Short mmCIF file of all heavy atoms in Angstrom, two decimals:
data_model
loop_
_atom_site.label_atom_id
_atom_site.label_comp_id
_atom_site.label_asym_id
_atom_site.label_seq_id
_atom_site.Cartn_x
_atom_site.Cartn_y
_atom_site.Cartn_z
N LYS D 36 6.26 28.77 -37.96
CA LYS D 36 6.84 28.35 -39.23
C LYS D 36 5.86 28.39 -40.35
O LYS D 36 6.15 28.86 -41.45
CB LYS D 36 7.38 26.95 -39.08
CG LYS D 36 8.64 26.81 -38.32
CD LYS D 36 9.12 25.47 -38.17
CE LYS D 36 10.29 25.29 -37.17
NZ LYS D 36 10.73 23.89 -37.03
N LEU D 37 4.62 27.92 -40.18
CA LEU D 37 3.57 28.04 -41.17
C LEU D 37 3.29 29.52 -41.48
O LEU D 37 3.15 29.87 -42.62
CB LEU D 37 2.27 27.34 -40.61
CG LEU D 37 1.08 27.51 -41.56
CD1 LEU D 37 1.29 26.86 -42.91
CD2 LEU D 37 -0.17 26.98 -40.86
N GLY D 38 3.19 30.30 -40.41
CA GLY D 38 2.92 31.75 -40.66
C GLY D 38 4.00 32.43 -41.42
O GLY D 38 3.72 33.27 -42.26
N GLU D 39 5.29 32.13 -41.14
CA GLU D 39 6.38 32.72 -41.90
C GLU D 39 6.37 32.36 -43.38
O GLU D 39 6.60 33.13 -44.26
CB GLU D 39 7.75 32.27 -41.31
CG GLU D 39 8.02 32.77 -39.88
CD GLU D 39 8.29 34.26 -39.83
OE1 GLU D 39 8.72 34.88 -40.84
OE2 GLU D 39 8.05 34.81 -38.76
N ALA D 40 5.99 31.06 -43.74
CA ALA D 40 5.84 30.66 -45.09
C ALA D 40 4.71 31.37 -45.73
O ALA D 40 4.83 31.83 -46.90
CB ALA D 40 5.61 29.14 -45.15
N ILE D 41 3.55 31.52 -45.03
CA ILE D 41 2.48 32.26 -45.62
C ILE D 41 2.81 33.73 -45.84
O ILE D 41 2.49 34.31 -46.89
CB ILE D 41 1.25 32.14 -44.73
CG1 ILE D 41 0.69 30.63 -44.80
CG2 ILE D 41 0.16 33.04 -45.09
CD1 ILE D 41 -0.38 30.34 -43.78
N ILE D 42 3.54 34.33 -44.93
CA ILE D 42 3.90 35.73 -45.08
C ILE D 42 4.76 35.93 -46.36
O ILE D 42 4.59 36.87 -47.07
CB ILE D 42 4.68 36.21 -43.79
CG1 ILE D 42 3.65 36.36 -42.67
CG2 ILE D 42 5.35 37.54 -44.05
CD1 ILE D 42 4.30 36.48 -41.27
N ARG D 43 5.72 35.04 -46.53
CA ARG D 43 6.56 35.17 -47.73
C ARG D 43 5.74 34.95 -49.02
O ARG D 43 5.91 35.73 -49.99
CB ARG D 43 7.70 34.03 -47.76
CG ARG D 43 8.85 34.34 -46.77
CD ARG D 43 9.97 33.32 -47.04
NE ARG D 43 9.63 31.95 -46.76
CZ ARG D 43 9.62 31.36 -45.53
NH1 ARG D 43 10.01 32.13 -44.46
NH2 ARG D 43 9.34 30.14 -45.43
N ASN D 44 4.77 34.10 -49.01
CA ASN D 44 3.90 33.90 -50.14
C ASN D 44 3.02 35.11 -50.40
O ASN D 44 2.84 35.52 -51.50
CB ASN D 44 3.00 32.66 -49.96
CG ASN D 44 3.78 31.41 -49.97
OD1 ASN D 44 4.90 31.27 -50.46
ND2 ASN D 44 3.16 30.36 -49.47
N ILE D 45 2.50 35.74 -49.28
CA ILE D 45 1.63 36.91 -49.44
C ILE D 45 2.48 38.05 -49.98
O ILE D 45 2.01 38.78 -50.85
CB ILE D 45 1.01 37.26 -48.05
CG1 ILE D 45 -0.02 36.27 -47.71
CG2 ILE D 45 0.37 38.67 -48.18
CD1 ILE D 45 -0.60 36.42 -46.33
N GLU D 46 3.68 38.25 -49.55
CA GLU D 46 4.47 39.35 -49.93
C GLU D 46 4.86 39.23 -51.40
O GLU D 46 4.94 40.21 -52.14
CB GLU D 46 5.74 39.51 -49.12
CG GLU D 46 5.42 40.06 -47.70
CD GLU D 46 6.54 40.04 -46.72
OE1 GLU D 46 7.57 39.43 -47.01
OE2 GLU D 46 6.44 40.81 -45.74
N SER D 47 5.19 37.98 -51.86
CA SER D 47 5.44 37.88 -53.32
C SER D 47 4.17 37.98 -54.14
O SER D 47 4.25 38.62 -55.19
CB SER D 47 6.09 36.50 -53.61
OG SER D 47 5.18 35.47 -53.34
N TYR D 48 3.07 37.56 -53.62
CA TYR D 48 1.82 37.77 -54.34
C TYR D 48 1.40 39.25 -54.36
O TYR D 48 0.94 39.73 -55.34
CB TYR D 48 0.69 36.97 -53.72
CG TYR D 48 -0.67 37.13 -54.37
CD1 TYR D 48 -1.04 36.28 -55.39
CD2 TYR D 48 -1.59 38.07 -53.90
CE1 TYR D 48 -2.26 36.41 -55.97
CE2 TYR D 48 -2.86 38.12 -54.44
CZ TYR D 48 -3.19 37.34 -55.48
OH TYR D 48 -4.39 37.44 -56.07
N GLN D 49 1.65 39.93 -53.20
CA GLN D 49 1.35 41.34 -53.12
C GLN D 49 2.13 42.21 -54.08
O GLN D 49 1.61 43.14 -54.64
CB GLN D 49 1.60 41.84 -51.71
CG GLN D 49 1.24 43.29 -51.47
CD GLN D 49 1.52 43.68 -50.02
OE1 GLN D 49 2.26 42.93 -49.27
NE2 GLN D 49 1.06 44.82 -49.64
N SER D 50 3.37 41.87 -54.33
CA SER D 50 4.18 42.64 -55.27
C SER D 50 3.63 42.56 -56.71
O SER D 50 3.83 43.50 -57.46
CB SER D 50 5.66 42.22 -55.19
OG SER D 50 5.73 40.88 -55.70
N LYS D 51 2.97 41.50 -57.09
CA LYS D 51 2.43 41.35 -58.41
C LYS D 51 1.01 41.73 -58.55
O LYS D 51 0.66 42.34 -59.49
CB LYS D 51 2.64 39.88 -58.86
CG LYS D 51 4.04 39.39 -58.88
CD LYS D 51 4.10 37.97 -59.11
CE LYS D 51 5.49 37.44 -58.94
NZ LYS D 51 5.56 36.02 -58.95
N ASN D 52 0.18 41.36 -57.53
CA ASN D 52 -1.27 41.49 -57.64
C ASN D 52 -1.95 42.36 -56.61
O ASN D 52 -3.15 42.55 -56.72
CB ASN D 52 -1.91 40.14 -57.65
CG ASN D 52 -1.31 39.17 -58.62
OD1 ASN D 52 -1.16 39.57 -59.81
ND2 ASN D 52 -1.11 37.95 -58.23
N GLY D 53 -1.26 42.81 -55.62
CA GLY D 53 -1.92 43.47 -54.44
C GLY D 53 -2.33 42.37 -53.48
O GLY D 53 -2.20 41.20 -53.67
#
Side-chain angles (χ1 to χ4, degrees):
K36 287 178 186 176
L37 174 64
E39 295 291 335
I41 290 173
I42 290 166
R43 285 190 298 274
N44 293 341
I45 290 173
E46 288 175 343
S47 66
Y48 180 85
Q49 182 181 12
S50 65
K51 299 172 188 170
N52 306 316

